[in-house]
Amino acid sequence: MNIQNRAPSGRDDLEPLAPLDARLAATYEHVGAGIVEVDENGRMLRVNQQLCELTGYSAVQLLGRTIFGETHPEDVSEDRDQFQRQLAGEFERYSIEKRIARKDGGHFWAQVTSSSVRDADGRFLYAVRVQHDITNRKRAEEALARRMEEQAALFAFSERLQHCTSSTDCYEAALNAITRALACERASILLFDEAQIMRFAAWRGLSQGYRQAVEGHSPWTPDAHDPQPIGIEDVAKADLPDALKRTILEEGIQAAAFIPILQDGRLTGKFMAYHRLPHSFSEAEIDVALVLARLLGFSLARLAGEEARRVAERDARQLAAIVESSDDAIVSKNLDGIIQTWNEGAERLFGYRKEEVIGRSIMLLIPKDREGEEADILARIRRGEPIHHYETVRRRKDGGMVDISLTISPIRDRSGRIVGASKIARDITGRKLAEERLRESERRLQELLAAIPAAIYTTDAAGKITYFNQAAVELAGRTPELGTDEWCVTWKLYWPDGTPLPHDQCPMAIALKEGRSVRGVEAVAEKPDGTRVPFIPFPTPLRDAFGNVTGAINMLVDLSERKQAETQQRLLLNELNHRTKNNMQVLQGLLQGASRSARSEEARQVLEEASRRIAAMAAAQRVLYGTTDATRFSAEHFLGAVVETVQQTLPNNVRIERSPATGVLSNDIAMPLALILNELLTNAAKHGIEDPDRNGIRVTLNERDGEYELEVEDDGPGFELSAVQQNSSGLRLVQGLARQLRGEFEVTRAPSRARLRFATTSS
């Protein structure tokens, strides 16, 4: 680089300047600072070798670039502003510290001094910028500032912890300190729960999805000894499970530190610091993090101790209040039997005031015939044995005796040595009277149950027989064994169809296992002599005041006589059904024969209609006599039988679609309803089906709001009831039968539908 001012050729008086010019050029190139000359736009006109070494670029690569293009974006504004003022002549020189880019992608800190070079008229020619590398100084300053910030964060955290009154306050203070001291944007605190699973206690800047995904992960086990901090400098390169790594990176976390939290030397959790870019955790940072963790652990332990103390004080106050306000007598004595404390309950129970008994022997309460009890009680207390619900008698101040229940526990000092006993005495006089009344009540109840002419027995909650009357013995043909027989008093059990019924599946067992009464079940008991008795059980659970099942009572009703009566009734019904069916078949045969021989079409139609009606009535009759109940019948069975009968009288291509029916109806409804259904289905088949391949008849029988509703619907055009009823004997029959049922009959068009509403009984 040439900086000399050469004279014209041939002038010997300037030759001595040549060595000096060379030395200046060498100095320019190798001086310990980068030098650049820039024009008024900041473009580099000339650079020295030192600047090339600082930036990593060659002179050719730098020339023509602007000084602002090579400046860190955060520093451009200030440098440009100063340079513009220099150009304007506000000053000839200025200095600035800024970051300059290097070819390798990094940067270095430089202290830049920019000086103006002007011509004789003061016009700006160029600026000389001398750039000293101050990177090491800056790093030292930044490290010092970081240490000062860390110390300030620790001090502020320590100061804040003194005023924290809850764990929430501690967590908030800790998150502030972590993000400040470790220069991170996000942080979290996780603690072991009762199941020893690491759970989030507090966090900042973390999504719910991330917390749910990583909760429970811990680099240490709960019993880890001397757990050490862990720093992950680059999550993408870390040895982590792929799913966990993906979750962390998707959260925008590139680096993280795991810092253990200990309380009294035991691992209780961790805090985490997160960085959005890869980060190298220095030894100083880790030391600061450990101090933060110790402060947090100490504070949480302090709060836990204070809470435990408050709870203990509260419990002590509550215990004292309970002792004083208790209805039970609560007394303490030493191992010599000398009374130490005496509450108001003891005053009420025994009649002595506190000042009358404290310091005296407990023997003043013990009757003469029971004085030996006290020596035995004290001996057991000295051995550390508690005494529970010891029932005895004690003497009151007025000389009267009182039944009491004693609970006695040893009293120990801080070293665990037994120094006395505490007694809780409860007046059980009322309970004793109640027990006597209960025994008397049970005696009368047993007498009453024994007098009932039905088999009755009881069990405990486990199903063991606890009581039975004589009728139970007679039904079972054997005497049950109390406390041994389980669930039932019978020898063997069967279902009504003869299938064996295991005892542990009998109604009584079900009632106890499921805690519910069982009704509507029949069974058969077999006696030891082989005879069988049909019966209905009525097992009912027995419960205590809290609703817990304590046992059950069962009554077995002998059905032998009823079964015989039902058999006789069934025989009569079968005979009646047989004769009625024969009569209907004869009548239907006569009508069909008359129809075939009728010469008049009108007469033939009348006879066929009559035959169909007889068939519908026969179908209803089959349903009536096919049930064991002589008064009621199944709506589903009835509808199916009548529809099937009518279907047989219609052409093969006419379809009747039937929806399931539910419920039961009284027998006096059957015949009118069968005739109505026959008329409506026949009418729909005649007038409501234009194309049998596409059209059909739909029938439903449903119960709604306490009434039954019969509907017959087709795809025909429908009709107006008032317009056709005078010419249709079938519809007049339907209306008459509807009135007989006290029902309402109506028809609609679009869709074509006939509807009958009637009560479940015709009466």
Side-chain angles (χ1 to χ4, degrees):
M1 183 175 294
N2 186 10
I3 62 169
Q4 65 181 350
N5 294 317
R6 291 185 179 272
S9 178
R11 293 192 58 183
D12 296 333
D13 56 342
L14 294 179
E15 288 300 325
L17 293 176
L20 177 60
D21 208 22
R23 286 196 302 272
L24 287 175
T27 300
Y28 183 89
E29 290 294 333
H30 301 292
V31 69
I35 300 175
V36 57
E37 297 176 9
V38 300
D39 63 14
E40 67 273 13
N41 295 315
R43 285 194 301 272
M44 289 180 272
L45 304 174
R46 184 179 301 165
V47 298
N48 72 345
Q49 185 62 33
Q50 184 64 24
L51 184 62
C52 293
E53 293 176 0
L54 287 174
T55 63
Y57 290 103
S58 66
V60 174
Q61 292 172 320
L62 289 175
L63 294 179
R65 296 187 181 185
T66 69
I67 55 174
F68 306 115
E70 304 304 315
T71 301
H72 192 282
E74 294 179 3
D75 301 335
V76 169
S77 179
E78 182 182 0
D79 193 12
R80 189 187 298 277
D81 180 65
Q82 294 286 77
F83 187 69
Q84 292 298 325
R85 294 176 65 189
Q86 183 180 26
L87 290 177
E90 294 183 25
F91 42 72
E92 295 301 310
R93 175 182 297 179
Y94 71 90
S95 294
I96 189 173
E97 293 181 357
K98 70 172 186 176
R99 286 159 289 184
I100 298 176
R102 293 179 51 85
K103 185 178 181 180
D104 60 10
H107 68 270
F108 68 94
W109 275 97
Q111 182 175 18
V112 179
T113 300
S114 178
S115 302
S116 298
V117 176
R118 300 178 182 274
D119 61 15
D121 297 325
R123 288 190 299 271
F124 180 85
L125 298 177
Y126 57 90
V128 178
R129 297 171 66 89
V130 180
Q131 302 175 154
H132 294 277
D133 185 359
I134 59 171
T135 301
N136 291 336
R137 191 196 81 191
K138 277 291 186 178
R139 288 175 179 170
E141 289 175 352
E142 289 175 356
L144 178 60
R146 183 93 288 278
R147 299 291 83 76
M148 292 178 65
E149 182 66 9
E150 291 169 355
Q151 295 304 312
L154 289 173
F155 178 80
F157 185 38
S158 178
E159 178 70 18
R160 174 78 181 277
L161 288 178
Q162 299 180 37
H163 305 287
C164 290
T165 58
S166 68
S167 56
T168 302
D169 292 342
C170 282
Y171 298 151
E172 184 64 21
L175 292 175
N176 288 337
I178 293 167
T179 53
R180 181 181 178 185
L182 301 183
C184 59
E185 298 174 351
R186 292 180 283 182
S188 64
I189 299 169
L190 297 92
L191 302 175
F192 285 118
D193 63 8
E194 294 181 356
Q196 298 298 293
I197 297 175
M198 197 81 81
R199 304 286 190 191
F200 280 92
W203 60 88
R204 184 169 294 171
L206 300 177
S207 68
Q208 181 178 357
Y210 172 80
R211 298 197 310 273
Q212 291 176 341
V214 304
E215 192 169 58
H217 289 276
S218 173
W220 318 283
T221 59
D223 57 353
H225 177 69
D226 191 25
Q228 296 298 311
I230 297 174
I232 300 179
E233 298 182 357
D234 190 341
V235 172
K237 299 178 181 178
D239 183 17
L240 295 172
D242 291 341
L244 178 60
K245 181 186 295 186
R246 185 166 54 254
T247 298
I248 297 173
L249 292 173
E250 288 175 354
E251 187 70 6
I253 297 171
Q254 296 281 352
F258 299 71
I259 310 299
I261 300 173
L262 290 84
Q263 294 182 29
D264 300 324
R266 180 175 58 86
L267 179 67
T268 58
K270 66 181 178 182
F271 80 71
M272 297 196 64
Y274 309 97
H275 292 269
R276 60 185 178 84
L277 297 174
H279 179 80
S280 177
F281 295 95
S282 67
E283 185 176 344
E285 282 183 302
I286 295 298
D287 289 342
V288 170
L290 287 173
V291 174
L292 288 171
R294 282 194 291 271
L295 288 173
L296 178 57
F298 291 153
S299 182
L300 292 176
R302 174 182 64 81
L303 289 174
E306 291 178 354
E307 178 63 20
R309 177 180 56 78
R310 285 194 294 269
V311 170
E313 291 176 351
R314 183 197 63 199
D315 291 347
R317 290 193 298 270
Q318 290 178 343
L319 180 60
I322 290 171
V323 169
E324 283 305 314
S325 63
S326 175
D327 290 334
D328 295 331
I330 301 178
V331 179
S332 67
K333 61 184 180 181
N334 63 21
L335 292 179
D336 295 324
I338 303 302
I339 297 171
Q340 305 293 308
T341 62
W342 185 268
N343 74 339
E344 293 181 1
E347 292 185 8
R348 289 190 296 270
L349 181 60
F350 299 113
Y352 290 99
R353 296 191 307 276
K354 184 183 302 185
E355 56 269 20
E356 292 180 291
V357 294
I358 290 181
R360 297 178 63 182
S361 173
I362 198 72
M363 296 298 293
L364 85 157
L365 303 177
I366 302 178
K368 290 290 185 182
D369 60 343
R370 293 180 179 266
E371 289 181 349
E373 291 180 356
E374 183 62 15
D376 179 61
I377 289 172
L378 288 175
R380 293 174 63 180
I381 290 299
R382 286 189 179 97
R383 293 195 298 268
E385 298 179 17
I387 300 171
H388 299 291
H389 309 302
Y390 178 76
E391 294 187 4
T392 185
V393 177
R394 291 293 182 260
R395 182 175 56 234
R396 292 172 48 85
K397 181 179 180 181
D398 60 10
M401 299 298 172
V402 58
D403 291 310
I404 63 171
S405 173
L406 286 176
T407 297
I408 309 172
S409 302
I411 297 176
R412 302 176 185 270
D413 61 14
R414 292 187 177 181
S415 64
R417 183 170 59 92
I418 296 173
V419 295
S422 70
K423 285 187 175 183
I424 299 177
R426 175 167 294 178
D427 185 354
I428 59 172
T429 304
R431 196 196 78 192
K432 290 285 187 180
L433 292 173
E435 289 175 351
E436 180 60 31
R437 294 192 189 99
L438 180 60
R439 284 192 292 271
E440 178 63 22
S441 175
E442 289 178 347
R443 183 186 63 78
R444 290 197 299 270
L445 178 60
Q446 289 185 2
E447 292 176 353
L448 174 63
L449 294 177
I452 295 176
I456 295 176
Y457 69 94
T458 61
T459 72
D460 60 17
K464 301 293 184 181
I465 305 296
T466 57
Y467 167 81
F468 56 86
N469 65 359
Q470 185 58 34
V473 175
E474 294 172 358
L475 184 142
R478 59 184 291 271
T479 301
E481 294 185 23
L482 294 180
T484 300
D485 279 7
E486 195 171 29
W487 312 121
C488 305
V489 295
T490 58
W491 181 258
K492 293 181 181 179
L493 285 173
Y494 297 89
W495 291 109
D497 63 0
T499 305
L501 172 58
H503 280 276
D504 61 355
Q505 297 177 23
C506 71
M508 185 61 155
I510 298 300
L512 283 168
K513 291 175 182 177
E514 299 183 6
R516 62 180 179 88
S517 300
V518 178
R519 299 291 186 266
V521 176
E522 292 188 19
V524 178
E526 182 179 292
K527 297 181 179 182
D529 62 6
T531 59
R532 296 188 178 186
V533 180
F535 67 93
I536 296 179
F538 294 88
T540 303
L542 302 175
R543 300 180 185 273
D544 59 18
F546 302 101
N548 302 313
V549 175
T550 59
I553 184 170
N554 198 1
M555 180 173 69
L556 310 178
V557 178
D558 189 343
L559 298 179
S560 300
E561 294 183 1
R562 198 193 82 178
K563 289 293 184 181
Q564 293 174 2
E566 287 179 353
T567 301
Q568 292 297 324
Q569 182 186 48
R570 173 49 53 194
L571 291 174
L572 291 173
L573 287 174
N574 288 342
E575 178 63 21
L576 180 59
N577 179 34
H578 177 70
R579 295 189 180 187
T580 303
K581 181 174 65 175
N582 287 344
N583 291 337
M584 284 191 173
Q585 287 176 345
V586 170
L587 179 57
Q588 190 173 14
L590 291 173
L591 290 172
Q592 289 175 347
S595 173
R596 287 193 295 270
S597 61
R599 298 179 179 179
S600 165
E601 178 63 23
E602 181 179 357
R604 186 181 62 77
Q605 290 182 358
V606 169
L607 291 171
E608 286 181 353
E609 290 178 0
S611 176
R612 284 196 294 268
R613 290 166 182 165
I614 293 297
M617 294 172 65
Q621 185 256 348
R622 287 197 302 273
V623 174
L624 294 180
Y625 291 103
T627 179
T628 57
D629 190 342
T631 62
R632 302 174 71 79
F633 64 91
S634 164
E636 170 65 12
H637 292 164
F638 168 82
L639 185 62
V642 176
V643 168
E644 181 179 353
T645 299
V646 175
Q647 179 76 73
Q648 293 174 0
T649 67
L650 300 178
N652 293 335
N653 57 357
V654 175
R655 303 187 317 276
I656 301 178
E657 299 174 3
R658 176 177 64 87
S659 298
T662 58
V664 293
L665 295 166
S666 62
N667 281 1
D668 54 355
I669 289 176
M671 293 304 173
L673 190 59
L675 290 172
I676 291 173
L677 185 54
N678 173 74
E679 295 300 324
L680 295 179
L681 291 173
T682 303
N683 184 70
K686 286 182 179 179
H687 307 292
I689 298 181
E690 297 178 354
D691 184 355
D693 293 334
R694 292 187 302 171
N695 304 141
I697 305 171
R698 295 168 293 281
V699 59
T700 60
L701 179 59
N702 295 314
E703 185 178 10
R704 293 180 182 174
D705 301 327
E707 290 186 331
Y708 265 93
E709 189 172 271
L710 173 67
E711 289 187 352
V712 176
E713 182 180 295
D714 58 57
D715 298 310
F719 60 91
E720 294 290 343
L721 182 60
S722 59
V724 300
Q725 61 183 355
Q726 295 302 322
N727 300 322
S728 174
S729 60
L731 288 177
R732 291 198 300 274
L733 174 62
V734 169
Q735 289 178 307
L737 293 172
R739 287 193 295 271
Q740 180 181 335
L741 295 178
R742 296 186 180 181
E744 298 178 0
F745 178 69
E746 63 180 11
V747 295
T748 61
R749 305 179 71 172
S752 174
R753 178 184 298 150
R755 179 185 294 117
L756 171 67
R757 294 191 185 92
F758 60 95
T760 55
T761 61
S762 62
S763 59

